[in-house]
Amino acid sequence: MSARQSMYHKLLNLPLSVLVKTISIPSDPIAQLDLDLSRPMVYVLPFRSHTDLLTLRSSCLQLGLPDPLEPLELGGKTLRRYVFISEGKRMFESSDPVPQESIELFTELLELHKRDSELDIQLVPASVVWDRNPGNESRPAAATLQAMNGLQKFYTILTLGRDSMVRLSNAVSLRYMADKHGTDTTIAYKLARVAKIHFSRQKLAASGPNLPNRQALFKRLLASKAIDKAVQDEAESRNVPVEKVRKEAIDMMEEIAADFSPSLIRYGDRVLTWLWNKLYQGININNAERVRKLAQDGHEIVYVPCHRSHMDYLLLSYVLYKEGLVPPHIAAGVNLNFFPAGPIFRRGGAFFLRRTFKGNRLYSTVFREYLAELFAKGYSVEYFSEGGRSRTGRLLPAKTGMLAMTIQAMLRGLKRPVTLVPVYIGYEHVMEVSTYAKELQGKRKEKENFSQVVGIVRKLRNYGKGYVNFGEPIPVNHFLNEKAPEWQKDIDPIEPQRPNWLNPVVNELADRMMTKINDAAAANALTLCATALLASRQRALSREALEQQLTIYLELLRQVPYSATSTVPTDSAQELVEHALSLNKFVVEKDSLGEVISLDRQQAILMTFYRNNIIHLFAVPSLVAQMLTFKTSVHRSMLFDTVRRLYPLLKAELFMSFDDASLESYLDATLIEMERQSLIIVDGETISRNPAKLTQLQLLGRTIAETLQRYAITLTLFSHEPDTSKSDLEQQSQMMAQRLSRLHGINAPEFFDKGVFSTLLNSLREEGYLNEDDHARTDKVEALRESVFGLISPEVQLTIEAIQSHSAE
């Protein structure tokens, strides 16, 4: 670098250090992009810009990456560590050739690879995104996919410099390029062309497509053949003028459609940064890189998160924005369209839908066409398939309406591949959890209103940590090819289609989607402590015992991972307990022997919500532990048979992902780990409990005990009255569960939730325990009941039999 250029950089750094503040995407590129610091690295930038270069340098130094201004010493030559692939704009002229010195550098680097077979330089695409405004259809943003001139850059840095983003991408191996394509000058030009396409897609992923003009959008929708036909049919059926129905359709569009505002997103980012810092001690984000790749590859992304809090809307959009992606358009219940939240949500990307479309063909057509328009234009979409917030902390069965409309949008002839991205959102405190407990105990749900918002803001305090884990994406096109190979024959760009295969395929896709959400679960300090304390009969453990139990949980999750997308804290059990205590949810009492940590009755009820977030992670280990709690030893084949028999019921209720083969290998690995921790003793084919660790084994087993007790209730009823109807059985099971909970101090509100009994009955039907008339197959039901009874305490068995006998009289 010349002395003149060095001085220029130093002078330029002065204002940049004051005006520019960047976030780096990804936040840990060495690990997340698998960059090798032992290999030479060259940064590839989209435009000739020393402002971008110095901003990149500042970010690289913070991230521990090589300095872009530090030259490379290779083969006795001194080479630049950066390259621009375009001249970009100038003040009075615009040109876009590849700079000659860039082609020369690419050519020289390729030539070095030709001479040295061991050399492997990493080309790292790096861009600085200053303005993420996509513009709109009538006025595209000046800098959406092209460089800015000097005046544009100066103004942008003044106004947006502290909202900029440095985006690094996976390295391209020059060794691979040289071996695969050769080392002549044409390959250098090819590298530049590929890099341009890469940066163009990357910018589109960060900003999104041009936003629609709202009124032009309504005109376009009204002119669509589907809505026009629905309007004509509605006018004819009601015998009213067509214009009157058209006005109703426009009113529906006004009610539904988002009014996305990039400026609100930008200012909202600052407000939400303050809010999260006020509420949480950090937000843990995992697997975002795979979503960035989907966006950059041109997929139509549909985010499908679990729904546990109103915070979910804000948190996911905030995380996506911080991860360099455009926030999605969000399907929100019309109950949230109240002042002032409704207009703010709408400008943040929310579009509103009514709780039911039943009996309103015009509304369903308008909504479906609007959703198809979002997909056609390339806007990412988010919806909560559970239909509402989970009051129990468990995933709810999916409502399939939005999923069906997604596939119907594909049947309009959508060109881009559609991919569902399951998202697990978890918290160490959900601000609505006390309200959920009251609703589960019979209190009427309050309608959302402004006073609720004010009440939430007044209660702001530190709520621990938040977790956003992106699960394994589900390519819908591939799924349809597998489940309905001829689905493309049903494509119709005008009429919405409901082919015969739609309902079963949607139901199966919904189940897979919910399973992938649970696969991405995040265990944390609070959920683990809640799981341990609720397993104790008195909801109390000494601090030492609690730490020992958390160590067992952590080792199980670390040594036998539930899935590739689930996450486990890296902290020790002692650190997790200390953090959980800082959240002020536990009673801590000291005596001469040390500390006792407990839950009062009200907190015990609330803690079931957090335990239920992760109960599926421990279902199989807990089942094994429960079996050995009531049996001194068991033959391996008997243990495996019992787990296989009960697993389909657990799988349906807890959205677990193991198939027959993976269940067996997971069970084998679990037994190995439990033996390593000395919880069990394995002697050939005999598995025994270790008396020295019986207390810890019992605590692990009780995690699943309440679930098994519910199974015992329903199976007992079915065993004694095999011809009972489904509705009567649900009602009787619920009544017996309420009685059992009172008699045995069971604090979990979901214990007598009607929905879990409905899921159980559906599973029994699918597994062949019921006949075509939904009556019990007595022998099979009785055999299953005996298996379950062997896993619950004798006193609970007697209570269930007594309640059933009393009910039958």
Side-chain angles (χ1 to χ4, degrees):
M1 184 189 305
S2 67
R4 180 180 173 186
Q5 193 173 62
S6 178
M7 180 59 69
Y8 174 65
H9 285 168
K10 288 180 181 178
L11 292 173
L12 189 56
N13 250 331
L14 291 174
L16 291 180
S17 63
V18 175
L19 297 173
V20 175
K21 180 181 178 182
T22 64
I23 59 171
S24 298
I25 305 296
S27 57
D28 183 10
I30 296 174
Q32 292 174 264
L33 301 179
D34 199 24
L35 299 178
D36 187 348
L37 296 181
S38 66
R39 289 163 48 201
M41 197 176 295
V42 173
Y43 299 98
V44 182
L45 290 91
F47 312 111
R48 184 186 296 281
S49 167
H50 290 280
T51 301
D52 287 11
L53 179 61
L54 292 176
T55 302
L56 171 64
R57 178 177 186 261
S58 174
S59 187
C60 286
L61 294 178
Q62 291 177 17
L63 295 167
L65 292 169
D67 184 347
L69 298 185
E70 181 184 324
L72 273 175
E73 301 291 340
L74 292 172
K77 294 186 177 184
T78 302
L79 302 170
R80 284 203 325 261
R81 197 184 285 271
Y82 63 89
V83 58
F84 304 120
I85 62 163
S86 169
E87 289 289 357
K89 283 191 175 183
R90 292 295 176 263
M91 183 77 71
F92 300 109
E93 58 179 300
S94 176
S95 57
D96 199 30
V98 180
Q100 188 57 38
E101 68 265 28
S102 299
I103 295 298
E104 291 172 359
L105 179 59
F106 276 143
T107 303
E108 196 153 12
L109 293 175
L110 288 166
E111 183 63 27
L112 287 171
H113 283 74
K114 185 177 181 180
R115 295 181 207 159
D116 183 356
S117 61
E118 299 299 316
L119 182 62
D120 187 4
I121 295 174
Q122 302 167 98
L123 291 182
V124 180
S127 60
V128 181
V129 180
W130 300 98
D131 184 3
R132 294 170 67 175
N133 186 348
N136 57 49
E137 292 172 331
S138 57
R139 190 180 58 189
T144 299
L145 296 175
Q146 58 187 353
M148 291 181 273
N149 62 35
L151 281 177
Q152 288 173 327
K153 180 67 71 70
F154 178 71
Y155 177 76
T156 299
I157 290 174
L158 280 178
T159 56
L160 302 174
R162 300 188 71 80
D163 295 310
S164 57
M165 174 179 73
V166 172
R167 176 74 166 92
L168 300 171
S169 301
N170 292 94
V172 174
S173 167
L174 264 188
R175 165 55 52 202
Y176 172 82
M177 293 296 295
D179 292 347
K180 186 81 172 176
H181 301 288
T183 58
D184 58 31
T185 306
T186 58
I187 303 304
Y189 278 103
K190 182 176 182 178
L191 280 170
R193 287 196 303 273
V194 170
K196 284 183 182 180
I197 295 170
H198 170 85
F199 287 124
S200 177
R201 289 178 174 175
Q202 193 176 81
K203 187 70 168 92
L204 188 61
S207 301
N210 293 333
L211 296 172
N213 176 286
R214 193 171 169 83
Q215 296 308 314
L217 168 65
F218 293 169
K219 288 181 181 179
R220 195 158 59 241
L221 288 174
L222 201 60
S224 72
K225 293 184 178 180
I227 292 181
D228 182 62
K229 185 175 186 302
V231 166
Q232 299 289 341
D233 292 347
E234 184 79 4
E236 184 177 342
S237 66
R238 288 163 46 193
N239 195 25
V240 296
V242 170
E243 285 307 314
K244 177 180 173 60
V245 180
R246 282 204 183 99
K247 175 66 169 59
E248 292 174 5
I250 292 173
D251 290 342
M252 291 173 183
M253 294 173 199
E254 290 280 5
E255 176 190 311
I256 293 167
D259 191 14
F260 195 91
S261 168
S263 59
L264 181 127
I265 296 295
R266 191 169 63 251
Y267 294 127
D269 168 53
R270 297 171 187 172
V271 173
L272 290 177
T273 297
W274 168 84
L275 180 65
W276 303 137
N277 289 335
K278 185 82 172 174
L279 285 176
Y280 301 110
Q281 296 174 20
I283 299 171
N284 296 275
I285 304 163
N286 291 283
N287 302 321
E289 185 61 34
R290 64 173 55 178
V291 186
R292 283 192 288 270
K293 187 176 187 312
L294 287 172
Q296 194 161 314
D297 289 347
H299 286 243
E300 173 59 39
I301 297 178
V302 180
Y303 299 97
V304 280
C306 59
H307 197 13
R308 296 191 171 111
S309 171
H310 281 313
M311 282 294 175
D312 298 341
Y313 304 102
L314 302 175
L315 183 57
L316 183 53
S317 289
Y318 174 81
V319 163
L320 290 170
Y321 187 77
K322 286 296 189 186
E323 290 294 324
L325 293 161
V326 61
H329 282 59
I330 308 164
V334 75
N335 57 304
L336 294 177
N337 192 17
F338 61 87
F339 185 84
I344 294 173
F345 288 158
R346 195 184 296 277
R347 293 179 70 78
F351 59 97
F352 295 97
L353 69 156
R354 299 174 186 175
R355 287 300 181 190
T356 178
F357 295 5
K358 190 174 181 180
N360 196 334
R361 180 170 173 261
L362 179 61
Y363 179 84
S364 62
T365 303
V366 169
F367 187 89
R368 190 184 298 109
E369 289 298 299
Y370 174 74
L371 187 64
E373 176 79 5
L374 293 180
F375 289 150
K377 295 296 184 181
Y379 307 113
S380 58
V381 170
E382 170 190 339
Y383 49 74
F384 297 92
S385 287
E386 293 167 280
R389 292 164 292 158
S390 170
R391 268 62 177 172
T392 66
R394 298 180 181 212
L395 282 187
L396 303 174
K399 309 287 188 187
T400 57
M402 288 294 293
L403 198 55
M405 283 190 279
T406 298
I407 292 180
Q408 284 181 306
M410 296 174 66
L411 294 177
R412 299 287 303 276
L414 188 65
K415 301 299 183 185
R416 287 186 318 286
V418 175
T419 299
L420 302 180
V421 176
V423 187
Y424 177 94
I425 303 177
Y427 307 90
E428 290 183 328
H429 179 88
V430 172
M431 59 183 61
E432 303 103 319
V433 72
S434 59
T435 302
Y436 295 164
K438 293 174 185 175
E439 290 176 8
L440 286 169
Q441 292 167 351
K443 184 179 178 182
R444 187 174 180 180
K445 178 182 179 293
E446 291 184 26
K447 186 177 180 181
E448 287 80 1
N449 53 59
F450 181 59
S451 63
Q452 279 188 339
V453 176
V454 174
I456 289 173
V457 172
R458 288 175 60 189
K459 294 177 184 177
L460 292 183
R461 57 189 174 92
N462 204 309
Y463 286 153
K465 297 178 181 178
Y467 299 82
V468 178
N469 287 356
F470 294 96
E472 182 185 347
I474 304 172
V476 181
N477 298 66
H478 293 171
F479 187 87
L480 292 181
N481 290 340
E482 177 187 344
K483 303 298 179 180
E486 298 186 348
W487 68 273
Q488 295 191 37
K489 291 183 179 179
D490 293 306
I491 289 176
D492 187 325
I494 300 174
E495 286 287 339
Q497 298 297 297
R498 292 199 66 88
N500 292 333
W501 54 261
L502 184 64
N503 284 345
V505 166
V506 166
N507 290 336
E508 189 173 349
L509 180 58
D511 187 66
R512 181 176 296 188
M513 177 178 70
M514 304 310 285
T515 299
K516 295 297 184 186
I517 292 174
N518 255 359
D519 280 353
N524 60 57
L526 192 71
T527 55
L528 292 170
C529 285
T531 300
L533 288 170
L534 289 170
S536 171
R537 292 195 184 280
Q538 302 302 319
R539 304 186 298 274
L541 291 168
S542 70
R543 183 168 187 148
E544 182 183 11
L546 179 58
E547 290 174 354
Q548 288 175 352
Q549 198 65 25
L550 258 62
T551 299
I552 290 170
Y553 295 160
L554 290 170
E555 288 302 299
L556 277 168
L557 294 176
R558 290 168 182 167
Q559 302 302 322
V560 192
Y562 178 83
S563 74
T565 51
S566 61
T567 56
V568 186
T570 56
D571 302 316
S572 68
Q574 292 79 7
E575 290 169 328
L576 291 176
V577 170
E578 192 64 38
H579 173 69
L581 292 180
S582 72
L583 301 176
N584 298 318
K585 296 181 183 295
F586 306 105
V587 178
V588 181
E589 298 172 303
K590 294 184 179 180
D591 57 25
S592 59
L593 298 177
E595 292 181 341
V596 174
I597 299 169
S598 63
L599 295 167
D600 62 35
R601 179 172 175 78
Q602 184 57 32
Q603 278 293 353
I605 294 171
L606 302 183
M607 282 297 110
T608 61
F609 181 93
Y610 301 102
R611 177 200 60 189
N612 289 346
N613 287 185
I614 63 165
I615 191 172
H616 62 288
L617 300 181
F618 295 107
V620 172
S622 180
L623 194 56
V624 172
Q626 190 74 344
M627 196 176 308
L628 290 169
T629 295
F630 293 106
K631 297 180 187 295
T632 306
S633 63
V634 64
H635 195 275
R636 178 183 288 265
S637 61
M638 179 183 176
L639 185 148
F640 274 59
D641 286 346
T642 302
V643 172
R644 288 193 201 99
R645 188 176 298 121
L646 292 173
Y647 176 71
L649 309 182
L650 295 171
K651 180 179 182 180
E653 181 177 333
L654 301 177
F655 295 102
M656 299 177 69
S657 58
F658 305 116
D659 56 21
D660 292 341
S662 59
L663 174 64
E664 188 152 339
S665 61
Y666 176 72
L667 187 50
D668 273 327
T670 298
L671 291 174
I672 291 170
E673 176 57 23
M674 291 176 74
E675 182 185 22
R676 187 188 72 81
Q677 293 192 43
S678 300
L679 293 168
I680 61 174
I681 299 168
V682 179
D683 182 10
E685 293 297 300
T686 301
I687 301 168
S688 308
R689 67 191 186 199
N690 181 359
K693 292 287 188 81
L694 182 57
T695 299
Q696 289 90 336
L697 194 70
Q698 287 174 331
L699 287 172
L700 178 59
R702 287 185 195 134
T703 300
I704 205 69
E706 291 170 4
T707 302
L708 296 173
Q709 289 165 11
R710 281 192 282 100
Y711 293 174
I713 288 170
T714 300
L715 292 169
T716 297
L717 285 169
F718 242 150
S719 180
H720 287 84
E721 301 178 49
D723 297 340
T724 306
S725 69
K726 182 175 182 290
S727 59
D728 286 346
L729 195 65
E730 287 176 4
Q731 186 176 2
Q732 291 178 47
S733 295
Q734 188 178 28
M735 180 273 295
M736 286 182 65
Q738 288 173 326
R739 174 62 67 90
L740 190 67
S741 71
R742 285 194 290 269
L743 293 175
H744 289 272
I746 298 170
N747 295 298
E750 84 278 357
F751 185 73
F752 44 82
D753 179 32
K754 187 177 179 180
V756 295
F757 290 108
S758 177
T759 299
L760 172 60
L761 291 172
N762 290 336
S763 300
L764 291 172
R765 181 190 300 112
E766 290 175 9
E767 294 302 312
Y769 291 96
L770 310 183
N771 61 24
E772 297 79 8
D773 299 319
D774 278 352
H775 296 159
R777 298 183 191 274
T778 309
D779 292 345
K780 292 193 67 174
V781 168
E782 183 58 30
L784 182 61
R785 189 182 82 94
E786 288 180 7
S787 293
V788 173
F789 261 54
L791 300 172
I792 61 177
S793 67
E795 58 266 31
V796 171
Q797 294 181 34
L798 290 171
T799 302
I800 290 174
E801 292 284 11
I803 296 173
Q804 195 281 327
S805 298
H806 184 270
S807 300
E809 292 176 359

